[in-house]
Every structure is written in C-alpha cells, then in structure tokens.
Amino acid sequence: MKKGAILVVMLAGILAGSVAPGLAGFPATFEWKRLGRETGLPMLKTLSVEMLDGVIYAGTGKGLYQKMGERPFERVVLGEIPETAILSLKADRKSRDLWVGTLHGLARANRGRVDVYTQLNSGLINNVIYGLDPVGKHVWVATAAGASRFEPSTGRWEIYNEKNSPMKEIWCYGVAGSEKYVYLAVWGGGIMEYNYATGVWKNYFDPDGEFEMDLFRNDGPPSIITSNVDYDGKTAWVSTYFGLGSYDGRRWLEWFEDSGEGMPSNFVNNTRSDRNSPGRTRPQRVWACTDRGLGCFDGKIWSLEIADVQVHSVSFEGDIVVAATDNGVFVGTAKAPSAKAGQDAGSGTEKDQMKIVPPVRTGKEVKTP
Amino acid sequence: MAILLSPDEEQIYLANRDSGTVTRLSIRTGKPTAELKVGHWPIDMAFSPSFREIYVTNHHSSTVTVIDVARFKVARTLPVDPYPWGVTVRAETRGLKPPVDVLFTSHTYLNLLVKRDSLTGRELATLLVGRGAGRIVPSPDGKLLAVTALYSTESVPDKRPMPEVDLVSPDPFVVESRVFLPGANLVRGGAWTSDSRVLILPVQLPRNVIPDVTTADGWGMGHGLAILERSGQGFSVRHVMLADAISSHPEPHHVVIDEKARRVYVASYSASRVVALDLDRLLSLVRGWPAADIEELACRLDLLHDYEVARLSVPANPRAMALTKDGRTLFAACAFDDTVAVIDAPTVKMTKTLDLHPRQPEDPVHRGLKLFASSKPWFREVFACTSCHPDTHLDGLANDLAVDGLGRNRVDVRSLYGTAGTEPFKWTGSNAGFYSECGPRAARFIARSKGFDNLELDDVVAYLRSLVLPPNPYAGDKNLAEAQERGREIFFRTVDTMGRPIKPRDQCAFCHPPPTFTDRRQFDVETASNTDTIREFDTVQLTNLFMSAPYLHDGGAPTLEEVFTKRDLDDRHGRMNDLAKEDLNDLVAYMMSLGPSSLTTDSGAKEARSDRKGDHEGGYPR
C-alpha cells in the first residue's frame, strides 16, 4: 500500500471519529472462549461451524465433530464420506436437518440418520462443496463445478453452470437465499442472483473492474473474487478477497480495511448476518470472517472480536456466537447487554432490520488484500 | 383393507382396496348399510378428532377422500403427494387461523411425512422419513407419531436390512427420535401401550444374507414383532419371532393391544390367523433378555409357546383389526374373503362373520390372489409368495439363495407388476414363463414343499398375468418435462456427443426398446460382481423405476446414477462415458418417467392438482 494512500485514509478515519486505518477493528464487544484439541477436536483448523439445538458442529480438516454441552467433541460419521475436510455446514431449522458440504460430497444428518449424496450416486454436479443453504423446499449447493439445487422431497436435482446460466466461472464458493432470491458467490464471477418467481439469473460484477482499488464506492460488489455470500431475507452480504459488500435489492454498500469503519481486513473468507438467529435477544450484527480475525458490524462500525487468526465460518443460536478458525473453535457471548437489547430482538420483523449507516467515500479506497 | 370402529361401536367402516370403496357395516344386523366410492386403492383411514369425518388415503390416486360420517357422503377430495399410505388427524392447537384440524399423511415412494391443512390438503410442512413410509401410529399421549417403513433405510448388499421407525413430534413438527430395527423389514401397523412407553410393531425378519441363510432358525424368512420400549432418552429395540419349530404366523400385518386383558392380538395375513399373545410374558421376556444376545432372541424358535395364548383360523388374509373398548370383541378385516371375522376376545373364538356381499363363486384371478398370499402351500407355512413380493411388488432385498452355494449369485427381488409380456424370468432368464417360474422350480427351491398343484398353478398364473403397472407420478399427464425430453433424446440417440456413431449394442434402446423397455434377452454388460458365477443377465424392463430400487441383478445400485457410475466404469452398459453430468441427470429423469401415464385422478382432485403452482415441474411429482 502506498504511504500517501495510508495517510489520506488515516486522516479521513480520524476526522470521521472512527478507528485508525491499519489498526483495524474497534474493541471486542463479546467475550470469547477457545475450544482446542483439549476439547476433543482432532486438529485446530476448523473450516466450518454451525449451531443447532445447543449442539456445536465443527467442520474440521478431518471430519465433522459435534459438542453437546460440557461433553468433549465427538466425531459424527458421515456414511461413506471419509475423514475429510468439511467445508460448509448449514442447519434447516424447520426440519432440524444438518446439511454438510465436504470435499467428497453432500450429507444430511438428522437424529442418527445420515444420507450421502455424491456425483456418483445422485444428480449432484460435483463432490467439492464449498457452500450450501437449505432454502424452502430446496437445498442449494455451491461446488467447484457449478451449483446444484436439490429437492429432497422429490429427489429432483437441477444443475446450474456455464451452459444454462450466465456463470462466468464455475467455482462457486457460497450460496444463500430465501424463497424469493438466491445469491451465488462465484469466485471470479461476482454475485449471481436467482429470482424464484421468474427462474432468471442476474449478474453483479465489480463495476470498476479494478482489483486493487475501489474507484466509486458503493457502486456494486467490491470485487468479482467473491468468497462467500449470506442473505438474511433483507440484505445480501458478500465477502470478497478485496472487501465486503451488501445489497438490499436497491443499492450496494461496501466496506474496506482502510475506509475507516474498522473492517479488520479486506481478505474476507466468509460473512454471515445473525438477523435470523433463533432466540436472539441482542441486536442484530453482521460478521466478517477474515484472515486477520473476526469482525462484527453493528450497522456503523466494525469491532474486532477475535484477533490475529484466520477465521473461516461463524454461526449463531440465541445470543451465542461460534466461530471456526485456524486455532480451534471460539464461542462468544456479548460482554454486556446493549441498552437497546431486546428492542430490536426477534427475527424476521421489520424492526429487527439493522440500521446501516452508509459508508461514505473517503478518497481512494484501497482494497489490496 | 383398513377398518375403523365407530365411537358408539355400532358401525364398522372398511376400506376396500380392490373395489375402491368404503363400506359401512352395522354390527347389530351384521349387514352392510352403505358403500361409497372413494379413490383407487384406499389403504388407510382415520377419524377426525370430532369423529365427524373419516379421512381415507387413496394409494394409487394420490388423494385423500374426506367422508362426512353423518351423511356418509364424500365431503371433499384432497389432492396430495403421490402414493399416500398412513393417515392421522389431530386438532390443531395453534398456528392455523382459523383453527382447523391438521392432517398427516405418509407417502411410500417419496419417503415423506406431510403435515397438511385438513380443509384443503395444503402442505404445511414436510419431513423425510424412512424408506417406504407406511403406517402412522399416534401415541396415546398425543406427543408422537410413529411412522413405519417398509424397506431398509440403506440398501447395502451383504448387510442385514435396517428399516427405521420415525418418532415424530407433531408440534413442533420434527423427528424426535429415529429408531432403527436391525435385521427387520416390512414394518407394518402396530400399537402403543396406553402409557406411550411401549410400541409393538409387526415385522418381517428376513434371513437373506450370510450367516442367516439357514434351514434352522426360520429358513429363508422369519416373522415376528419389534418391541420398542422407552429407555432413557431413546428406545430399546427387541425382536421376537412369531414361529416355532413346526409352525409359523407369517406376514403379521397388524397388532392390537388390550391392556386390561394383558393381551396382544396379531393378524397373520398369510396364515389367515389371529394370534393372541400374553403381553406380560412378552414384555418380561424382552426386558430380561441380555442385551448382548438380542440378535439371538430374534432367531429363537423355542420361545413362542411362552407367550402365545391362542391361535385362531379366520377367513382369508386378515389385514387390520379393531377392538371394542371393553375388550370383549375383536373385529378382523379379512381382505380376500371380503368379510369381517367377529371374535370373542376372551376365548379367542370366532362367533360370526360380517360379509360385505353375498358369497360368489371365485374367478381364477381371485383364487390366484389368495394362493399368492397364502402360506399354506409352503414348508411349515414359514412364508408365502407375498413375503418377498408384498402386494405383488418387492421387499427391497437381495437374497443369497442357498441352491447355488452360499455366497454366490446374490439376486435382487423384482416387482411382479406388469411382468406379463416380459418373459423369460429370473435374472438368468432361465425360466421361460410364469408356469416354470411358479411351478416345480418354486416348489423345489423356494417352497421346499409340494408347492402349487396344476389347478392352483393355473390360478396363480392367471393372477400374475392380470397385474398391471400402477401409475407413475413421474410420467406426467401429457408431455414430458423439458429435462425428460432431453433425456429421451439421449436414450434414443445413435451418435455420441462427439458425433461418432454408437454401435447398436451400445444404444440404450437396443436392449431396452419400448413399450416394456426390455428385449427379453440376456447380455453381459459387466455388471457381474466378484461373487457371481454367471455374467449374462436378463434385460430388465425399465418401467416404474421410481418404485423398484435398488437396481441391477444383485441390488448393488441403490440409485439409477450408480448403475452408470460405480457399476459401469468401463462404459460397457451402453455408451455413457461421453455424457456430461447434466446429461446423465436428464437421462435419469427420462428413465424415471417410463411407465403408465400419470395418476388416475378422482373427480375434483385433478383440477385442484393442476392449479397447484409448480406441480410436476421438471417431471417430478409434487
């Protein structure tokens, strides 16, 4: 990063009353407890995490592990899927199905039953599953060779790739949606939006086409190198290797490490909004899993919750937050109830929508990862 | 056939599968008082909580008929997902506005339990349940719905089957507990004890894999009860046999518990028998049996006399029962004699029968049906044709038959629907027709008894020839869906994706030509496994594949995809390796559509179904 640029951004940040750029992240607002090997994890590197009914599911490089209460982590055997990297986890809170994306296929775990879907035994397009999301009757799957949509109640599979959609690349890293829209994070292909009503796909690219800087802030996704996406029913949150963006159906907003709001890093592996976290009583937050820690966004600024570690995934249940990192699993609880806690609690209601202060353009937003 | 007893115990309602009717019988007069046309294959019934309505699942119509009990008229017909089986109705305590009862239906080939608005049939929520979802047995405390499954959840050759019983909380609608029944199959309608702690289910205990294939311990096939009992957070499972060394009570289809009399009544469908068991002795046996030896308990032929109280022969093929509140009268619906056996429960004596219609001379097809379902011609009545071919379909198992040596030539059971015109039979194609298949071969190798005599064989063959394919919900009403159409082009293609001609033998339609999609010859397409001593197998017909998994001669392909991936590595089963994944998906979608065109719909239901958004989208049946 050029010194001039740093000075400009630092000055702007100080003037705006926010954290100094380069010292990304406001102080943590959660208390964190680390779960390492001593708790039964086979390795510290955890790539995915999910909470369901009080159970923590950790996707490690050597298989899926579950932690129930004070008991240590125990391995969850996923049928024919070997002890492999678990890249994505997502719970269907209606059916209590846990969907598991691995390097060797897709699995559904529910009350002792595991169903395995691979490219050899089902219509799944590819076994390398980076992201997934159960959406209504479907389970959307982002794979290394396009996306699949599975309807478990009929066994029907659909494939979306460069042949039948405007997919610029076929490396799909993340998917998230509601019964209206589904967003697909395509590495090198920006964000694709699927409209359930019309069945039509739409692309969102970085309008300036620049990897290293953002010429016009809030004009679209920060980059086409998208690493993941989350959709909370109101807003799509898009992580890229060059910053984080949001899209509410009308406008895009962007946050960068050097733009003064405290983003921990531009290299964002994953992002997730806790708007729909079941049983949440604290205010909504949006989370950014970066190479330098876990960022937490309250609508205006980013706090740095877990520092100096590669964070891959985050999940929530009630007021608990869990994060998958290169240094084990972290479990967080809010340090003190917010004065507003409870006022905007609950999920899915209008009042629950986070009030986002649109970030302002401060000059040349540098987004080198 | 299903049976319901009215709350005042003056009427019996019977669902008649083959005539598509529900009959109301007066217990006092012993005569039918009305008959009502419902859908095709009415298979189960349930009262609404107010007893003002009866809900009937029509298995082949994909509908639920709602009967107004007071007028005994059809109140409405609800379109539902294909192949509904089990049904129960509950009063809704919250959620729906205005409050209406909620209807639960299980769907056999989609493996679903669906919660619905009982007024419209609208789906409220869906859960995946066991493979071949069957009956729904609500617990008396109202907290659980036990959903039985016909088939093993996993289809793994050389492993004992393991169907599941899903214990579902109605509200919130989730699977509360999932109980696997190791070594069982074809789990049917059972009963809970009044404290909702014990669930007794009739099951088949097949001996289809080594080391179970043995003449001792119930050769080839056993039948029994699965006893599920609450234990901590879950349920313990024990299996006991319904057989001793010289006799058997095969194909138990229904269980009724009378706690006052401490009795369990079991309807043995194939033996045409009702058996009374001592509840306390049964529970004492399973509770005292060492946990380490529970597999042995499921094979013991010397224990039945400990818990059997009485056995009673009844008219042909009792399939469902109902007991009066005082426990004095048991009604057994005897499917193929169209009658209800009225049994004095304390003495286990039949007092009379309530006939649905005057007795008529039976035609050969009906006689064949009864022979097919009867265990009488079989060695020690251990099983019947219908044990491997329930309702003439299949049990989802591959069998290691002893005749060619244990461990060799494991063979998958095939459906008998629509087999006329697809001869020869057996996976080797060595039986020229029904007569050789069901005659001396069956007597020698399967029945190990005299088998059918010539006159009986004529009837059985007449029956088998009469069997037509049930509707295929994947086939759609008119045209193929887009994916199926693309799949059809692949199926009938003569050049590969690179434009090179495909040798006739490598074209799908060469061996699988319409309309039955079999050329009735045998080929080696390298599907033989290491344990097979033969390599050429009968070309199987490709109709109604949605209901006939697992696939291939040894049942080694749980899905159609695996036929062309794991079991066709060298591209010998037709030209396949040039296809992209999406092409294979299209081909599978087309193959699933092969069979008789869509659902036979009831009046009103078809219209309602066509209004449902997304129905049959992409050729799939919802």
Side-chain angles (χ1 to χ4, degrees):
Chain A
M1 187 186 300
K2 291 178 181 175
K3 284 182 181 175
I6 294 172
L7 287 172
V8 168
V9 177
M10 279 181 70
L11 184 60
I14 292 166
L15 289 173
S18 60
V19 70
L23 303 171
F26 282 86
T29 58
F30 281 65
E31 285 179 349
W32 295 91
K33 179 185 171 188
R34 177 179 161 276
L35 306 175
R37 284 178 184 273
E38 71 284 357
T39 62
L41 283 176
M43 61 191 302
L44 291 178
K45 192 178 183 82
T46 47
L47 302 164
S48 53
V49 69
E50 180 68 306
M51 278 194 82
L52 179 63
D53 295 335
V55 179
I56 298 173
Y57 294 92
T60 75
K62 290 183 181 174
L64 177 65
Y65 282 74
Q66 66 177 16
K67 182 167 173 49
M68 305 167 81
E70 295 304 309
R71 289 164 59 179
F73 277 103
E74 299 163 320
R75 185 168 174 227
V76 180
V77 178
L78 297 173
E80 67 190 63
I81 292 178
E83 254 179 282
T84 188
I86 308 296
L87 304 178
S88 47
L89 291 167
K90 196 67 85 72
D92 182 335
R93 295 190 183 277
K94 264 189 164 177
S95 63
R96 303 294 204 274
D97 288 332
L98 180 71
W99 290 93
V100 187
T102 81
L103 282 175
H104 291 81
L106 173 72
R108 181 186 78 103
N110 183 312
R111 296 276 190 251
R113 173 171 161 185
V114 174
D115 297 309
V116 172
Y117 307 93
T118 69
Q119 63 192 61
L120 296 184
N121 75 5
S122 73
L124 177 68
I125 177 73
N126 189 274
N127 278 354
V128 180
I129 297 171
Y130 292 114
L132 56 88
D133 194 24
V135 179
K137 290 185 172 184
H138 296 128
V139 178
W140 286 80
V141 185
T143 83
S148 280
R149 189 180 77 176
F150 177 45
E151 188 173 355
S153 59
T154 62
R156 177 189 185 191
W157 289 88
E158 293 284 349
I159 285 174
Y160 299 101
N161 57 18
E162 81 284 4
K163 295 174 188 168
N164 63 350
S165 71
M167 194 178 282
K168 298 293 180 189
E169 299 282 346
I170 55 171
W171 280 18
C172 298
Y173 268 22
V175 64
S178 70
E179 294 194 18
K180 285 186 179 174
Y181 298 104
V182 171
Y183 294 92
L184 194 58
V186 184
W187 198 93
I191 287 292
M192 293 174 66
E193 179 190 77
Y194 178 79
N195 185 325
Y196 256 108
T198 62
V200 173
W201 287 95
K202 184 179 176 183
N203 275 330
Y204 295 97
F205 301 119
D206 178 8
D208 57 41
E210 293 286 340
F211 272 19
E212 295 194 350
M213 59 180 64
D214 195 58
L215 295 178
F216 299 99
R217 197 169 188 188
N218 302 336
D219 60 350
S223 166
I224 57 168
I225 311 297
T226 47
S227 58
N228 224 312
V229 64
D230 189 33
Y231 184 58
D232 62 17
K234 284 283 184 184
T235 306
W237 298 88
V238 178
S239 59
T240 80
Y241 289 168
F242 298 89
L244 186 134
S246 75
Y247 179 62
D248 64 3
R250 292 178 300 119
R251 61 176 178 171
W252 282 90
L253 302 176
E254 297 170 289
W255 290 271
F256 303 102
E257 178 185 341
D258 294 298
S259 60
E261 295 87 9
M263 265 291 287
S265 168
N266 280 344
F267 195 91
V268 190
N269 293 311
N270 201 344
T271 181
R272 205 160 168 193
S273 160
D274 61 21
R275 178 169 181 257
N276 299 317
S277 171
R280 175 174 58 79
T281 61
R282 57 175 173 72
Q284 183 198 350
R285 295 287 181 265
V286 173
W287 302 77
C289 307
T290 80
D291 61 337
R292 277 185 243 154
L294 178 66
C296 173
F297 184 55
D298 67 0
K300 185 178 179 185
I301 58 169
W302 292 84
S303 55
L304 181 59
E305 296 294 336
I306 304 170
D308 300 326
V309 66
Q310 186 89 246
V311 183
H312 299 282
S313 172
V314 64
S315 177
F316 334 94
E317 194 167 69
D319 290 337
I320 307 287
V321 181
V322 286
T325 80
D326 273 359
N327 194 25
V329 173
F330 284 75
V331 182
T333 49
K335 280 181 176 171
S338 158
K340 289 175 64 184
Q343 289 178 17
D344 54 355
S347 55
T349 58
E350 283 299 322
K351 66 179 179 182
D352 188 42
Q353 178 71 354
M354 177 190 273
K355 305 287 186 298
I356 300 173
V357 178
V360 295
R361 181 174 167 77
T362 55
K364 278 187 177 177
E365 269 73 25
V366 179
K367 53 179 186 177
T368 305
Chain B
M1 183 177 271
I3 186 168
L4 283 179
L5 188 59
S6 65
D8 60 9
E9 298 187 345
E10 291 192 356
Q11 316 281 346
I12 282 176
Y13 299 93
L14 289 165
N16 309 308
R17 189 190 75 179
D18 293 342
S19 61
T21 58
V22 170
T23 304
R24 187 179 65 193
L25 278 161
S26 165
I27 295 174
R28 191 168 45 81
T29 65
K31 304 284 183 197
T33 54
E35 189 174 73
L36 196 59
K37 197 79 184 162
V38 289
H40 296 266
W41 265 56
I43 196 164
D44 201 5
M45 297 190 293
F47 274 115
S48 65
S50 66
F51 294 97
R52 289 179 184 153
E53 292 178 328
I54 293 173
Y55 289 74
V56 186
T57 42
N58 302 308
H59 198 52
H60 287 184
S61 300
S62 300
T63 56
V64 170
T65 302
V66 185
I67 297 172
D68 180 325
V69 172
R71 296 187 300 129
F72 202 61
K73 299 282 182 197
V74 173
R76 55 195 182 278
T77 302
L78 310 175
V80 296
D81 296 296
Y83 288 96
W85 187 310
V87 60
T88 191
V89 192
R90 284 168 50 94
E92 176 66 353
T93 52
R94 61 175 184 164
L96 293 179
K97 292 178 182 175
V100 295
D101 294 338
V102 284
L103 165 71
F104 297 86
T105 52
S106 64
H107 298 268
T108 303
Y109 301 110
L110 296 179
N111 312 326
L112 301 179
L113 179 68
V114 185
K115 184 177 182 177
R116 306 175 182 281
D117 175 334
S118 66
L119 274 179
T120 62
R122 178 175 60 96
E123 177 191 332
L124 303 172
T126 297
L127 290 177
L128 289 178
V129 291
R131 205 169 136 245
R135 302 274 179 195
I136 304 172
V137 189
S139 65
D141 64 8
K143 291 181 180 171
L144 291 175
L145 306 174
V147 185
T148 66
L150 291 173
Y151 308 125
S152 181
T153 300
E154 272 189 282
S155 171
V156 182
D158 290 333
K159 274 194 179 176
R160 289 175 177 153
M162 189 148 21
E164 66 188 66
V165 176
D166 295 291
L167 299 165
V168 176
S169 157
D171 192 13
F173 188 53
V174 294
V175 176
E176 200 67 48
S177 185
R178 179 169 278 122
V179 184
F180 292 92
L181 309 186
N185 204 39
L186 303 180
V187 188
R188 288 171 167 128
W192 292 86
T193 53
S194 59
D195 60 3
S196 300
R197 292 193 59 81
V198 176
L199 173 63
I200 301 180
L201 297 165
V203 296
Q204 190 182 77
L205 298 168
R207 319 295 189 193
N208 62 314
V209 291
I210 297 171
D212 297 341
V213 184
T214 163
T215 304
D217 303 338
W219 180 83
M221 185 75 71
H223 296 91
L225 299 175
I227 301 174
L228 285 65
E229 184 164 15
R230 279 184 197 274
S231 171
Q233 296 293 309
F235 283 78
S236 66
V237 180
R238 300 284 188 276
H239 295 150
V240 295
M241 287 198 73
L242 287 171
D244 56 28
I246 55 168
S247 66
S248 178
H249 305 308
E251 294 302 308
H253 270 245
H254 198 208
V255 163
V256 167
I257 298 175
D258 179 2
E259 285 190 77
K260 283 183 200 158
R262 311 305 292 166
R263 288 270 183 88
V264 179
Y265 298 101
V266 182
S268 171
Y269 173 79
S270 290
S272 297
R273 198 179 287 147
V274 169
V275 185
L277 308 176
D278 185 305
L279 176 61
D280 293 321
R281 286 187 193 170
L282 197 57
L283 293 180
S284 169
L285 173 71
V286 298
R287 285 169 181 162
W289 198 266
D293 297 332
I294 54 171
E295 286 189 16
E296 185 191 331
L297 179 60
C299 299
R300 290 287 290 263
L301 293 168
D302 58 339
L303 300 173
L304 179 64
H305 67 275
D306 280 347
Y307 45 86
E308 181 180 308
V309 176
R311 56 178 74 178
L312 172 70
S313 290
V314 294
N317 313 105
R319 194 154 183 160
M321 297 181 292
L323 186 69
T324 53
K325 288 172 203 146
D326 63 7
R328 297 205 64 82
T329 309
L330 181 70
F331 299 95
C334 298
F336 299 146
D337 273 339
D338 290 347
T339 192
V340 176
V342 182
I343 299 164
D344 179 62
T347 60
V348 197
K349 304 280 185 200
M350 191 165 67
T351 55
K352 60 179 173 178
T353 58
L354 310 178
D355 296 335
L356 269 64
H357 48 71
R359 292 294 170 99
Q360 295 161 345
E362 289 174 336
D363 61 26
V365 170
H366 194 81
R367 289 196 302 267
L369 163 71
K370 288 169 71 171
L371 285 164
F372 189 86
S374 173
S375 59
K376 295 284 190 297
W378 303 77
F379 178 69
R380 291 180 180 168
E381 292 193 52
V382 170
F383 54 90
C385 304
T386 195
S387 299
C388 292
H389 299 283
D391 290 327
T392 62
H393 188 40
L394 49 77
D395 61 2
L397 298 179
N399 287 281
D400 187 348
L401 299 176
V403 287
D404 50 8
L406 291 182
R408 291 180 185 157
N409 302 322
R410 189 181 56 235
V411 283
D412 181 50
V413 173
R414 288 163 70 168
S415 176
L416 301 181
Y417 286 128
T419 46
T422 68
E423 304 87 341
F425 300 125
K426 272 179 71 77
W427 280 104
T428 53
S430 55
N431 280 334
F434 286 115
Y435 279 94
S436 56
E437 179 75 11
C438 306
R441 184 199 76 94
R444 166 108 189 259
F445 296 118
I446 309 290
R448 301 199 171 189
S449 182
K450 76 172 184 64
F452 302 121
D453 66 29
N454 286 351
L455 294 175
E456 290 171 336
L457 192 55
D458 282 342
D459 293 340
V460 170
V461 171
Y463 169 62
L464 293 175
R465 282 182 175 155
S466 76
L467 297 171
V468 295
L469 283 163
N472 182 343
Y474 291 77
D477 287 330
K478 291 176 187 167
N479 302 319
L480 292 174
E482 280 181 28
Q484 292 170 338
E485 183 59 46
R486 291 193 300 268
R488 192 188 69 80
E489 288 174 14
I490 293 168
F491 190 90
F492 289 101
R493 69 187 180 145
T494 55
V495 293
D496 68 12
T497 53
M498 286 159 273
R500 294 185 300 217
I502 303 173
K503 288 185 289 186
R505 200 193 129 119
D506 288 339
Q507 298 171 17
C508 304
F510 181 80
C511 298
H512 297 282
T516 54
F517 295 91
T518 171
D519 63 354
R520 302 161 62 175
R521 296 164 65 197
Q522 294 79 48
F523 290 96
D524 175 7
V525 289
E526 295 212 348
T527 51
S529 64
N530 294 337
T531 56
D532 288 321
T533 59
I534 50 173
R535 302 197 63 81
E536 291 189 349
F537 297 102
D538 186 48
T539 304
V540 68
Q541 60 270 31
L542 301 182
T543 43
N544 277 12
L545 290 168
F546 74 95
M547 63 195 298
S548 60
Y551 307 105
L552 295 182
H553 68 281
D554 56 358
T559 64
L560 280 179
E561 283 85 355
E562 289 191 39
V563 172
F564 304 114
T565 55
K566 294 179 178 179
R567 296 297 296 267
D568 187 26
L569 298 177
D570 297 326
D571 216 19
R572 294 293 304 270
H573 197 164
R575 178 78 172 112
M576 299 299 298
N577 284 359
D578 64 315
L579 295 177
K581 181 64 179 169
E582 53 268 35
D583 299 330
L584 181 57
N585 283 10
D586 291 341
L587 179 63
V588 167
Y590 172 65
M591 291 172 69
M592 292 287 269
S593 77
L594 302 176
S597 179
S598 195
L599 312 164
T600 42
T601 50
D602 307 321
S603 57
K606 186 172 183 178
E607 209 170 290
R609 184 179 290 107
S610 67
D611 290 341
R612 284 165 53 180
K613 188 179 175 186
D615 187 52
H616 196 61
E617 181 189 356
Y620 285 79
R622 296 194 84 207

